[in-house]
Every structure is written in structure tokens, then in C-alpha cells.
Amino acid sequence: FKGPEMIVEMINDKYQAIYPERELIGKSLFESVPELKDSKFPLILKDVYESGEHFFSKEGLAHIFNTSTQELEERYFDTAFSRISFGEQELFRVMATPREVTERVLVRKKLE
């Protein structure tokens, strides 16, 4: 994500699969994925962007809109957030590397 607006610059196929049928590249993350606006992710991204401190979210809950069912789904991710600098005149970027762990969390909750 580039700059304080968190413009999506690059994604891989697995990241795109989290948000099927959505155009993410070139847009603010929270414009493309408005259901995340009121979550803790904007504050995490802002803090990483401004401070440069890495952040790891273990089993972070995200409510993601499923375009097929038209419902919000509870999904869980282990995600590392890191700030990247390309030079003094460039805006910082934040790299997020999520790994979905929803199945693991749901199985554990069922067993508990």
C-alpha cells in the first residue's frame, strides 16, 4: 500500500482471492474494501506507516463482504505489516502479508 491513503500498488493471486470480483490496484484499500474502514486495520496500517514499527496480527478477525452470498463473513488472518522505504523523496509503503487461518480458528473454537 502506498502513502497514507494506502493505495494498493501490487497484490498476488492469493491476496486477490480474499476479495474476488473487486478491483484493488490503484485504489485506496478502504475505498475498495469499505467493510474494513471501521475495523482495527486502518489504525494498524497508519501506525506502521508513521512509526516504521513492524506489527504482527495473530488470528486477526476481519469481516469481509462475500460478493457471491452478499453477506459479511468472519475470516481470520495471521498478518505481518511492515513499512518499506524506496528513498527519501518517495512515499513510504506498507507491505501486508496475510495468511488465512479461518479454518484453524473455527476448528479450535469448536473443540473448545
Side-chain angles (χ1 to χ4, degrees):
F1 311 111
K2 181 180 179 179
E5 298 83 18
M6 298 296 146
I7 303 300
V8 179
E9 283 194 307
M10 294 182 290
I11 54 173
N12 61 27
D13 292 339
K14 284 192 172 198
Y15 195 92
Q16 181 64 62
I18 297 169
Y19 307 105
E21 302 176 27
R22 296 198 209 190
E23 183 62 41
L24 302 175
I25 302 291
K27 298 180 181 175
S28 165
L29 175 65
F30 304 114
E31 173 188 339
S32 302
V33 188
E35 62 268 30
L36 294 180
K37 279 184 185 177
D38 294 326
S39 72
K40 62 183 175 182
F41 293 108
L43 294 176
I44 292 170
L45 289 169
K46 182 179 189 280
D47 186 55
V48 170
Y49 181 82
E50 291 177 354
S51 72
E53 296 288 324
H54 301 292
F55 185 87
F56 183 75
S57 172
K58 182 173 171 68
E59 297 181 356
L61 172 62
H63 291 93
I64 297 181
F65 185 73
N66 183 317
T67 55
S68 299
T69 64
Q70 299 293 301
E71 296 181 2
L72 280 177
E73 296 177 343
E74 287 189 355
R75 295 171 65 182
Y76 295 86
F77 298 88
D78 287 348
T79 308
F81 299 92
S82 303
R83 185 173 84 178
I84 302 169
S85 175
F86 288 103
E88 290 184 34
Q89 303 302 318
E90 285 284 323
L91 292 172
F92 294 125
R93 272 84 166 170
V94 174
M95 181 171 64
T97 53
R99 185 173 68 123
E100 185 158 7
V101 294
T102 300
E103 186 175 335
R104 175 182 80 197
V105 171
L106 295 179
V107 166
R108 186 185 69 240
K109 286 184 175 193
K110 187 175 182 179
L111 290 173
E112 289 173 348

